[in-house]
Amino acid sequence: MILVTGGAGYIGSHTVKELRSRGYDVVVYDNLSTGHIEAVGDAVFVKGDLFDVELLKDTFKKYGVDSVIHFAAYSLVGESMTNPIKYYKNNVSGTLCLLEAMVSCDVKYLVFSSSAATYGDTGEDIITENSPQNPTSVYGMTKLMMERLMSDFDKAYGLKYVALRYFNAAGADESGLIGEDHNPESHLIPIIMQVLNGKRGKLGIFGDNYPTFDGTCVRDYVHIMDLADAHIKALESLRAGANSNYYNLGNGNGFSVRQVIETVEKVVGRKVNCEVVPRRAGDPAVLVASSDKIKRELGWNPVYNSLEKIVASAWKWHSTHPDGYKTK
Ligand code: UDP
């Protein structure tokens, strides 16, 4: 049995759906602070908090859990800069509680959603796993500290983990049943969709004076179902006896904020109302991944390898769910 923390959230719910479709038994553990019960599908659901170590232990024992995929975390770069208490407490202390419960119940395998934000501004065109990790945001620092916790728990207790450093998760499952719904929304592609759906007046482009070819920030967008596949491959490798490891997940292509807007306009066939506004604190200029390591070692191969495909799947969800999930 696999326990998925944050399985009611955006990346978690897509991974749960993929796990279930491949026949895995899954229990979702989520406090529903930002997740949606509708996104859980047919997995077992336990409403619980990472800080509730006793409930975690009971859940591990009750369902015979041998592996955890850990998504539960706050994930807004901007908010992390103004409310570091919330981020360090939930993300770092919460993960410590999860790891403590795992050690106590002898749950040995962990796949962890880390982030490109752990790198910060590397100044490198393509970031490999050996690039220095100097986060520019509190959010990125919490993810780096979480990686460190896992590494120390491996040395001390033999906990085996894979940290997946994803670049920009985007898109939605083709079923149209689950997708991205954050409140408030802070991510670029869903915000553009909100503008197109008339839910928001215009998109603010956060700065056009970065050292990039058009002055706006460059990111590497990777499809949510390709991320889901990577989590499953990582877990299968651990269960087969692999050592702890860490991998980047991206498509290896950088797109500026302006290019993302143009791609959406092309796919949807409408203009996006936008204006340049000041930079957002904590944003590095360029984040583009080399994912060669996971391709080579785990055979990961992203299916959604163009921004058009990613945007089209996102639009399928947002155009049919302009208000997101029914339950908030
Ligand atoms: N961005 C923007 N306006 C918005 C939201 C995001 O210009 O309303 C930019 C942001 O500065 C970043 C990129 O879009 O360069 C992707 O931001 P997002 O929040 O989606 O992901 P992040 O890179 O922070 O993980």
Side-chain angles (χ1 to χ4, degrees):
M1 177 67 97
I2 302 165
L3 182 133
V4 180
T5 75
Y10 173 46
I11 309 178
S13 61
H14 284 78
T15 302
V16 168
K17 186 166 187 297
E18 191 60 21
L19 282 164
R20 293 291 301 131
S21 77
R22 296 192 201 178
Y24 285 103
D25 290 324
V26 177
V27 50
V28 167
Y29 188 92
D30 196 304
N31 66 7
L32 295 182
S33 66
T34 57
H36 305 271
I37 188 70
E38 287 163 75
V40 169
D42 64 355
V44 176
F45 179 68
V46 174
K47 186 171 179 193
D49 203 276
L50 290 178
F51 291 99
D52 194 342
V53 176
E54 289 312 311
L55 180 59
L56 276 168
K57 287 199 231 170
D58 289 347
T59 309
F60 288 153
K61 286 181 209 145
K62 180 171 175 190
Y63 294 103
V65 171
D66 74 321
S67 309
V68 172
I69 307 184
H70 178 34
F71 294 101
Y74 292 126
S75 61
L76 306 181
V77 168
E79 185 188 49
S80 77
M81 304 304 283
T82 54
N83 195 352
I85 295 175
K86 176 176 174 179
Y87 277 71
Y88 284 115
K89 195 182 266 177
N90 182 76
N91 293 7
V92 183
S93 305
T95 297
L96 186 56
C97 292
L98 172 69
L99 296 182
E100 187 189 334
M102 287 179 70
V103 168
S104 141
C105 294
D106 206 26
V107 178
K108 284 259 184 283
Y109 306 123
L110 177 65
V111 177
F112 166 57
S113 73
S114 187
S115 172
T118 60
Y119 292 111
D121 259 319
T122 62
E124 294 170 12
D125 291 340
I126 299 275
I127 296 172
T128 72
E129 289 81 358
N130 297 325
S131 301
Q133 288 177 293
N134 296 304
T136 50
S137 67
V138 170
Y139 166 69
M141 183 55 87
T142 67
K143 290 279 171 172
L144 185 57
M145 291 167 85
M146 290 151 87
E147 285 194 8
R148 182 60 194 256
L149 286 178
M150 286 161 204
S151 158
D152 289 342
F153 270 61
D154 183 4
K155 287 181 203 124
Y157 311 112
L159 178 121
K160 295 296 165 208
Y161 71 96
V162 172
L164 296 174
R165 297 176 187 152
Y166 358 114
F167 285 60
N168 287 61
D173 180 55
E174 291 295 344
S175 68
L177 297 174
I178 55 174
E180 189 164 10
D181 178 4
H182 297 112
N183 189 19
E185 189 52 76
S186 76
H187 294 111
L188 180 61
I189 293 177
I191 286 180
I192 298 175
M193 304 289 169
Q194 286 180 345
V195 174
L196 289 173
N197 277 328
K199 300 284 164 191
R200 193 185 276 259
K202 57 172 76 161
L203 164 77
I205 299 173
F206 293 144
D208 67 351
N209 56 357
Y210 283 93
T212 61
F213 69 94
D214 68 6
T216 65
C217 287
V218 170
R219 296 287 181 273
D220 182 343
Y221 295 85
V222 54
H223 196 268
I224 194 84
M225 295 314 285
D226 286 324
L227 292 182
D229 177 51
H231 287 78
I232 299 172
K233 286 192 162 60
L235 182 59
E236 286 169 349
S237 79
L238 290 175
R239 283 180 161 178
N243 274 325
S244 295
N245 220 325
Y246 42 89
Y247 298 104
N248 287 345
L249 289 175
N251 272 307
N253 298 314
F255 293 93
S256 72
V257 174
R258 286 201 189 280
Q259 284 179 315
V260 173
I261 298 167
E262 281 159 20
T263 305
V264 176
E265 288 177 337
K266 200 171 112 197
V267 168
V268 177
R270 277 162 44 201
K271 279 276 170 207
V272 176
N273 193 11
C274 56
E275 66 176 343
V276 177
V277 297
R279 288 182 176 197
R280 179 172 68 178
D283 274 341
V286 180
L287 287 172
V288 181
S290 158
S291 302
D292 290 350
K293 185 177 169 199
I294 192 164
K295 288 181 178 165
R296 199 172 55 239
E297 295 185 9
L298 300 186
W300 181 70
N301 211 357
V303 175
Y304 291 81
N305 49 11
S306 78
L307 188 59
E308 279 82 1
K309 282 193 207 171
I310 294 173
V311 164
S313 79
W315 180 237
K316 190 170 174 186
W317 160 256
H318 289 286
S319 58
T320 52
H321 299 79
D323 295 311
Y325 289 102
K326 287 193 202 78
T327 48
K328 292 293 167 193

